[in-house]
Amino acid sequence: MPTLFILLRKELKAFFLNPFGWVILAAVVVANGVGISTAMKGFLDTPSQDSLIFVTFHSPVFWFWFLFIFPLITMRSFAEEERSGTLETLLTAPVRTWQVVLSKYLAAFLFYLFLWLPTLVQFHIFDWIAELPDSWTPGEVVGTYAILILMGMAFTAVGCFASALTSSQIIAGLLTICFLMILFFVGYVPVIWGGAFQGVGLFHYISCQEHLALFAKGFVDTRPVIYYPTLTFVILFLTYQLVDYRRWKR
């Protein structure tokens, strides 16, 4: 375990001591601010009973920037070290493959969680300035951020896997966004084809849009709680096998 913590600290420094990490944070803050402003304008044009958090995260604006977080925070994980040759040095050191994979994944996931801290303040700014009560319930806040954490677990793993497939950061980023777009559009299959075909339940089960909409209303479904950690484990296992193959191939 000490080795894992040493590797994890090294990976975290790559985020927090690098200007690029703070640029990502600033981009997320700006993007979420745009989403909140868009949602508030929507309330002005068309009053709604939905909460500000639900409308903000249940819009195309949110999904556009949300999916692009993961290639940005994971494309360097393995690809950059493979390109520079430091991955070979790391894999020949007295560390285990699972420690390398897990440290890179945990660092990216912890940084992902860090990105959401300012958004909690953003939702309160308007209420503090206008001296109005919160336009959401505690259940909606907990549900929304719970599903963002669950989706982040799996999507970060997808990014790490894509980064392990290539030595190019650009290709790793493109692969990540392609994989995530597939997962995203799979949720629209019942909308496009209707719900009368066999197996439609599977598409509802893996639809990240439905998961976010449900949790953002304060309803907790146990299926995503099982689905995303399972998907995370499977993808990390594949990443481990890929990196381990490269290790022994050398």
Side-chain angles (χ1 to χ4, degrees):
M1 293 303 290
T3 303
L4 176 62
F5 289 131
I6 292 172
L7 293 174
L8 177 58
R9 184 172 61 181
K10 167 183 170 292
E11 297 298 331
L12 285 173
K13 286 182 178 179
F15 285 108
F16 292 102
L17 299 182
N18 190 321
F20 185 65
W22 296 100
V23 169
I24 297 174
L25 175 63
V28 169
V29 172
V30 171
N32 192 62
V34 171
I36 294 175
S37 299
T38 303
M40 292 174 62
K41 185 178 185 304
F43 283 133
L44 183 63
D45 297 337
T46 307
S48 173
Q49 294 183 344
D50 293 324
S51 69
L52 177 62
I53 285 184
F54 176 85
V55 176
T56 300
F57 290 131
H58 194 65
S59 69
V61 175
F62 165 75
W63 287 107
F64 175 79
W65 63 264
F66 174 70
L67 294 179
F68 277 92
I69 292 177
F70 302 97
L72 292 176
I73 65 176
T74 61
M75 62 184 182
R76 293 172 55 92
S77 299
F78 294 96
E80 175 62 19
E81 294 212 38
E82 176 72 17
R83 184 196 63 80
S84 62
T86 56
L87 183 62
E88 181 176 359
T89 303
L90 181 61
L91 293 178
T92 55
V95 297
R96 300 193 176 184
T97 306
W98 69 266
Q99 293 172 329
V100 175
V101 173
L102 191 58
S103 64
K104 290 183 177 296
Y105 167 76
L106 287 177
F109 180 61
L110 290 174
F111 182 73
Y112 165 81
L113 296 180
F114 174 74
L115 295 177
W116 290 105
L117 294 180
T119 66
L120 289 170
V121 178
Q122 285 180 292
F123 281 109
H124 285 285
I125 289 177
F126 174 77
D127 297 327
W128 290 339
I129 295 176
E131 297 183 352
L132 294 173
D134 293 337
S135 57
W136 56 80
T137 64
E140 290 170 331
V141 176
V142 173
T144 299
Y145 281 86
I147 194 62
L148 289 175
I149 291 173
L150 289 171
M151 288 193 297
M153 289 173 56
F155 293 175
T156 302
V158 170
C160 290
F161 175 72
S163 183
L165 287 172
T166 178
S167 60
S168 170
Q169 292 186 53
I170 296 176
I171 295 177
L174 291 175
L175 287 174
T176 301
I177 199 63
C178 286
F179 292 152
L180 295 182
M181 291 298 287
I182 291 172
L183 286 174
F184 176 75
F185 282 110
V186 159
Y188 280 112
V189 170
V191 178
I192 298 172
W193 294 95
F197 65 94
Q198 190 174 9
V200 67
L202 175 63
F203 293 99
H204 286 297
Y205 181 81
I206 62 178
S207 173
C208 53
Q209 303 95 313
E210 292 188 18
H211 299 158
L212 181 57
L214 187 64
F215 276 66
K217 290 185 176 181
F219 299 103
V220 177
D221 189 351
T222 56
R223 291 175 298 177
V225 176
I226 298 173
Y227 167 65
Y228 287 111
T230 302
L231 181 61
T232 302
F233 175 81
V234 171
I235 296 175
L236 286 180
F237 178 75
L238 294 176
T239 306
Y240 164 81
Q241 294 294 334
L242 180 61
V243 175
D244 199 50
Y245 170 75
R246 287 184 177 179
R247 179 176 195 168
W248 295 112
K249 184 180 179 180
R250 290 182 170 87

